[in-house]
Amino acid sequence: MNPIRTTYLTASAAAREVLGHPEVARRWDEPSTLQSFSIRGLAGHLVRAVGSTVAYLDRGDPDGAPITAAAYYAQAVETSDVDAALNVSVRERGEAEAKDGYQALIARYDEMSGDLQMRLETESSDRKVRVYKDLVLLLDEYLVTRIIELLVHTDDLAVSIGIPTPQPHEAAARLAIANLVEVALVRHGDTAVLRALTRRERDAVDALRVI
């Protein structure tokens, strides 16, 4: 199995540790640290980082020229406004994922994770998936986007239930950070990103805030 797939599975296992913490079940109906997101909805959204991969693989290998992980985020994530239609629908899907309760959600995560581990061992390096907004990515590029989601929302969930966030695996963190910076470059260009990193007083567009 190639390094991106191994890194994805490592990030998925780390997310499972937080999902399995007793505080998630105990505080299931409480608000999360994210505005307008309950803890159950956030947990459901985190589970979708595995579930969406399974679902897109089930659609078969699509035609079309694939785009990068950074290009995906630049096109798919349109706004950080929590009341925008995109972000409302994200919360609704997270709630729907969690509608059968905590134990059912955990069982589904474990089942999908086991299925995905076997599939990632056999899918070819040129395997493509058609995802949100009909965008086509190589499977491994899509997994990069899922690594980002797993790391970000594992942190969100840990903070929401009041436990320390697990230290992310170095390979996962470096991959996520590099690709998020690439999203910023796609959206805002080199000068804006340089200013965000070194001259924040000139960072008029908040260039490093990309999702």
Side-chain angles (χ1 to χ4, degrees), residues 28-50:
W28 189 244
D29 295 321
E30 295 181 12
S32 78
T33 193
L34 299 182
Q35 184 179 344
S36 302
F37 230 146
S38 68
I39 285 176
R40 66 176 180 273
L42 177 57
H45 183 62
L46 182 54
V47 167
R48 287 180 59 83
V50 171

Side-chain angles (χ1 to χ4, degrees), residues 41-164:
L42 177 57
H45 183 62
L46 182 54
V47 167
R48 287 180 59 83
V50 171
S52 64
T53 308
V54 173
Y56 291 143
L57 281 170
D58 285 344
R59 293 181 179 180
D61 198 340
D63 296 326
I67 62 173
T68 65
Y72 164 83
Y73 267 118
Q75 295 182 52
V77 182
E78 302 161 348
T79 176
S80 60
D81 180 359
V82 296
D83 295 320
L86 170 66
N87 292 320
V88 171
S89 69
V90 166
R91 295 194 296 275
E92 290 174 346
R93 288 193 295 272
E95 292 283 349
E97 192 73 39
K99 67 181 175 61
D100 294 328
Y102 174 73
Q103 294 298 336
L105 185 70
I106 290 294
R108 192 157 59 251
Y109 189 85
D110 289 343
E111 180 181 0
M112 291 187 300
S113 295
D115 175 43
L116 196 53
Q117 179 155 3
M118 290 187 293
R119 295 178 76 167
L120 292 181
E121 290 175 352
T122 58
E123 293 288 353
S124 67
S125 60
D126 60 355
R127 176 67 155 91
K128 294 183 288 187
V129 289
R130 186 177 301 278
V131 302
Y132 176 65
K133 284 193 170 181
D134 251 3
L135 300 171
V136 174
L137 292 82
L138 287 171
L139 170 60
D140 291 339
E141 284 291 301
Y142 185 65
L143 291 179
V144 171
T145 74
R146 299 309 89 188
I147 290 167
I148 293 169
E149 294 292 316
L150 285 165
L151 266 58
V152 169
H153 296 306
T154 295
D155 180 37
D156 290 334
L157 187 58
V159 171
S160 295
I161 63 173
I163 66 170

Side-chain angles (χ1 to χ4, degrees), residues 4-24:
I4 288 178
R5 297 180 188 189
T6 300
T7 300
Y8 171 82
L9 293 172
T10 300
S12 175
R16 175 60 174 83
E17 291 182 17
V18 176
L19 281 165
H21 196 283
E23 284 295 292
V24 177

